[in-house]
Amino acid sequence: MSVTSPYGAWESPIDARLAAAHDGSPDFAGTVGDEVWWTEPRPAEGGRRDLVRRRADGTVQSPLPAPWNVRSRVMEYGGLSWAGAVLPDGRGPLVVFVHFPDQRLYAYEPGAPGTEPRPLSPVSSVGDGLRWADLQVRPERGEVWCVLEEFTGDGPTDVRRVIAAVPLDGSAAGDRGAVRELSDDAHRFVTAPRLSPDGRRAAWIAWDHPRMPWDGTELKLAEVGDEGTFLGARTLIGGPEESVAQVEWAPDGTLLAATDRTGWWNIHRVDTTSGDAVNLCPREEEFAGPAWRLGYRWFAALDSGLVAVLHGRGAQRLGLLDPATGELTDAPGEWTEWAGPLAVSGTRVIGTAAGPRTGFQVVELDTALPGLSAAPRVIGSAHHDAVDPAYLPEPVERTFTGPGGREIHAQLYPPANPGFAAPDGELPPYVIWVHGGPTSRVPLVLDLEIAYFTSRGIGVAEVNHGGSTGYGREYRNRLREQWGIVDVEDCAAVARTLAEEGTADRARLAIRGGSAGGWTAGASLTSTDVYACGTIRYPILDLTGWAAGGETHDFESQYLESLIGPLAEVPDRYRDRSPVQHADRVTAPFLMLQGLDDVICRPAQCERFLARIAGRGIPHAYRTFEGEGHGFRRESTLVASVEGELSLYGQVFGFTPPRVPLLELTK
């Protein structure tokens, strides 16, 4: 029999520490011979990324103990931070990885007794030094090929990027001159190259400010000289309004690319002479995604001639594409969301997949099985119920209607707890969650942080507002010059609809978001009266300071040119849309959370906003965390953040959450 208690005051076995322990997902799964390796988060170990090894016999181990932290800072969001190969002399695998604290490349041979990782790349004292991502080990050349990000001065935009080769013998560990640059630095951004099967040609992707990679990129092709340098580089396809998200060579020498020239990222066969591109599977679906990190692969060509693909509208699923016929066959399985990068080895396809009842797991599909009769199997990061599934919400995908009749995609997580029920007639509070990016999308998968709230009687609505990916270029472009308008309106439309239909309590609506979602939360609190309170995490709040004041990193330093408009032409728009300029309009209590080491959304943004609100009598709290950058990774931070957020809702919504420290609000 359930206990009657107000929404928000329910007891739950999902505490903040449990939610923190399950924060993050496995990532960058790949193969080294018959083995599969990937990275995993370790919140309880200072938030480091662990490198996990699955041997051919199925045993799993972590060969690199703390403090090794496998994570790149290229473009600050990083990318593929490890790569491996089987050495030809039979010594076993060689793995090269980026160590987060110093951003150096290290080589590691786990089969060699007593072997410690040895540095391969040098240290630079200029600016933020040298960084590496999108690694490819090439033992036949005795090198690792990757993207080099090199700072040329002390400013965040004093940087150049090239494709480079680092010797595996360690000769460059103390000598920058031993690092060979394979490409020039004609473009601001590049991805690592894909070598043709005969090794004679290289293809890669490049783009320049002010475009972001989902706006417009170029597919480059060059001959590979005897020393590995690229000769006669030229553009095959792409441009300011065409985003080429990925390029790969098929085993037969065919060049494949995911481009959105049709309005959707579809896979094309590209003629290497003329640049003519043929759509292999024309669909109003996405076969790729936004390149926030280098090294992602949404498709991978198999030796059989088939192409493993991630595709879908919104959520992506795994399929096998026959490029000769255009036939696409989906892999069976209970997972509703697949994520890249995909890796292939022989007949095997490896990726990560999740669903409403499982977090992301490392999953393998053997395409040699006849007719895909056997489902993919979990081979790593296997899900184990940390709590009785009865305490988990039953999510619902919804399409809402926004201003002008436009569609808004969202997913709802209603309150759920088998031991409690609310008093008759009481409606639950709801929190609108806004994803980062803003050119991104939030998947519908198990998230114990969401369950932390829903199991206590607080509903959550995640909104993939206009500008989100997964729904085609037109949907993505809704945010062009409309950031702070479309995202705010879409979130408000979802919140109001939930109240009008009797799903949520109109007087107890909140908004929360981080990074770009923090911007939307801040803009919502300063421009609408929809929300009773909000949680603002590592936000952007001052557009002028962010764009012109050097308060962010190089990758996004001109992002606002498309989200807001050209700064030189519409400077007033930057001022007028910034929440910091309208702090006097805030009437709702809020919690602000900020990492002190954040170089993407710096603490100065929060501090400037708080200075404007000082003395106005608005209850608020500001919590900062040493050692945290953009996005929280440490267990202690995650616990403090989620408990502080719940305490805020309790104080504003009128309930007392059990066993949660009181968040002190100042005025």
Side-chain angles (χ1 to χ4, degrees):
M1 180 178 294
S2 60
V3 175
T4 300
S5 182
Y7 285 116
W10 299 351
E11 301 245 8
S12 171
I14 306 173
D15 62 16
R17 198 163 299 279
L18 181 65
H22 290 81
D23 186 77
S25 304
D27 205 356
F28 290 114
T31 61
V32 184
D34 291 333
E35 300 181 354
V36 179
W37 293 59
W38 64 89
T39 67
E40 280 185 3
R42 297 286 183 259
E45 299 177 21
R48 76 182 185 99
R49 293 292 301 192
D50 191 15
L51 188 61
V52 181
R53 175 189 190 185
R54 184 185 189 273
R55 294 175 177 267
D57 63 6
T59 57
V60 178
Q61 61 181 186
S62 296
L64 292 172
W68 294 108
N69 186 355
V70 183
R71 183 173 147 222
S72 168
R73 282 188 63 187
V74 164
M75 304 191 323
E76 294 301 344
Y77 294 109
L80 181 58
S81 54
W82 76 273
V86 176
L87 296 173
D89 56 11
R91 286 183 296 166
L94 167 71
V95 173
V96 177
F97 66 92
V98 179
H99 183 42
F100 182 74
D102 60 14
Q103 287 297 290
R104 298 179 80 182
L105 289 174
Y106 287 82
Y108 179 54
E109 297 179 48
T115 299
E116 292 291 323
R118 53 185 175 84
L120 298 182
S121 62
V123 174
S124 170
S125 60
V126 179
D128 281 336
L130 305 174
R131 300 173 177 177
W132 318 84
D134 208 355
L135 281 54
Q136 302 170 16
V137 176
R138 303 204 171 278
E140 76 281 3
R141 293 180 176 270
E143 296 174 325
V144 54
W145 286 16
C146 51
V147 172
L148 162 61
E149 181 177 79
E150 181 174 26
F151 282 81
T152 59
D154 294 331
T157 61
D158 296 333
V159 64
R160 61 191 292 269
R161 298 176 185 88
V162 296
I163 300 169
V166 181
L168 292 173
D169 62 9
S171 58
D175 181 9
R176 170 63 178 85
V179 175
R180 298 192 308 114
E181 297 189 7
L182 305 180
S183 71
D184 59 29
D185 58 0
H187 294 281
R188 190 70 165 189
F189 304 96
V190 293
T191 64
R194 300 293 186 256
L195 274 184
S196 61
D198 60 10
R200 297 172 58 186
R201 292 175 295 176
W204 69 99
I205 295 169
W207 70 97
D208 293 287
H209 283 318
R211 297 193 301 273
M212 300 300 285
W214 42 86
D215 294 327
T217 62
E218 297 177 18
L219 171 54
K220 312 291 289 189
L221 183 71
E223 302 297 317
V224 179
D226 293 339
E227 298 299 317
T229 52
F230 301 160
L231 308 174
R234 57 192 176 93
T235 298
L236 276 181
I237 61 172
E241 294 295 327
E242 179 182 358
S243 170
V244 184
Q246 184 187 340
V247 59
E248 302 288 341
W249 295 93
D252 65 359
T254 300
L255 188 62
L256 305 176
T259 167
D260 71 349
R261 56 175 48 195
T262 65
W264 299 81
W265 276 307
N266 282 188
I267 298 176
H268 292 65
R269 180 175 59 247
V270 183
D271 187 289
T272 57
T273 301
S274 65
D276 291 341
V278 177
N279 195 337
L280 299 180
C281 188
R283 291 192 179 195
E284 290 190 346
E285 294 183 5
E286 302 285 35
F287 287 73
W292 281 101
R293 296 186 292 170
L294 298 182
Y296 252 59
R297 301 171 78 185
W298 294 270
F299 70 89
L302 290 151
D303 293 341
S304 64
L306 299 177
V307 182
V309 300
L310 299 179
H311 71 103
R313 184 185 285 234
Q316 291 187 313
R317 54 198 179 275
L318 176 66
L320 291 178
L321 170 65
D322 184 341
T325 65
E327 182 180 356
L328 181 59
T329 305
D330 285 338
E334 70 274 20
W335 300 283
T336 57
E337 182 86 32
W338 283 76
L342 289 180
V344 296
S345 178
T347 62
R348 302 154 65 203
V349 181
I350 295 97
T352 57
R357 285 289 182 267
T358 61
F360 280 101
Q361 307 168 93
V362 181
V363 180
E364 177 187 84
L365 170 68
D366 189 344
T367 62
L369 295 172
L372 291 179
S373 59
R377 64 189 183 110
V378 176
I379 62 170
S381 298
H383 171 80
H384 300 287
D385 287 334
V387 66
D388 184 339
Y391 289 93
L392 302 178
E394 290 287 348
V396 179
E397 291 186 279
R398 293 275 302 270
T399 300
F400 292 83
T401 301
R406 64 176 182 251
E407 288 187 346
I408 306 166
H409 300 284
Q411 45 226 22
L412 304 187
Y413 296 84
N417 187 315
F420 288 86
D424 290 342
E426 182 182 356
L427 292 176
Y430 256 80
V431 184
I432 303 297
W433 282 28
V434 194
H435 63 67
T439 310
S440 184
R441 182 182 67 86
V442 63
L444 191 152
V445 299
L446 174 63
D447 184 339
L448 285 185
E449 189 170 334
I450 290 177
Y452 175 85
F453 292 100
T454 58
S455 62
R456 286 166 168 76
I458 301 172
V460 171
E462 292 185 305
V463 180
N464 286 313
H465 54 71
S468 301
T469 50
Y471 308 99
R473 189 177 185 106
E474 182 179 351
Y475 194 87
R476 202 164 71 238
N477 283 351
R478 286 184 188 176
L479 218 52
R480 282 198 172 183
E481 300 196 9
Q482 296 297 307
W483 196 37
I485 298 177
V486 165
D487 50 323
V488 170
E489 290 178 345
D490 285 2
C491 290
V494 171
R496 289 192 181 103
T497 300
L498 292 177
E500 290 166 1
E501 69 186 22
T503 299
D505 184 343
R506 175 64 181 87
R508 296 192 295 174
L509 297 171
I511 189 167
R512 79 100 92 150
S515 188
W519 153 269
T520 303
S524 297
L525 293 181
T526 57
S527 64
T528 77
D529 61 357
V530 175
Y531 308 103
C533 61
T535 301
I536 305 171
R537 300 153 56 99
Y538 36 92
I540 303 165
L541 297 169
D542 179 3
L543 295 175
T544 303
W546 204 75
E551 292 179 359
T552 191
H553 60 142
D554 182 64
F555 176 53
E556 295 179 271
S557 61
Q558 297 186 37
Y559 193 5
L560 300 185
E561 293 284 300
S562 60
L563 289 176
I564 304 298
L567 177 60
E569 299 174 14
V570 291
D572 291 350
R573 191 183 296 170
Y574 282 67
R575 181 197 64 227
D576 295 342
R577 288 209 199 151
S578 294
V580 72
Q581 297 294 332
H582 306 294
D584 59 312
R585 300 179 184 173
V586 176
T587 59
F590 65 89
L591 167 63
M592 190 170 284
L593 304 166
Q594 177 69 47
L596 293 178
D597 292 347
D598 194 338
V599 297
I600 296 175
C601 296
R602 300 174 189 265
Q605 293 271 316
C606 291
E607 293 161 4
R608 199 169 299 133
F609 183 85
L610 292 169
R612 299 284 182 91
I613 208 168
R616 292 196 52 248
I618 305 301
H620 67 278
Y622 179 46
R623 286 192 170 181
T624 59
F625 303 97
E626 293 184 1
E628 291 283 11
H630 197 65
F632 301 148
R633 292 175 171 83
R634 298 183 176 188
E635 182 183 77
S636 58
T637 305
L638 296 167
V639 168
S641 298
V642 76
E643 288 184 340
E645 186 174 350
L646 180 60
S647 179
L648 171 72
Y649 300 150
Q651 294 179 61
V652 175
F653 294 156
F655 61 81
T656 302
R659 291 185 295 279
V660 172
L662 181 68
L663 175 71
E664 183 177 348
L665 299 175
T666 60
K667 295 183 178 181

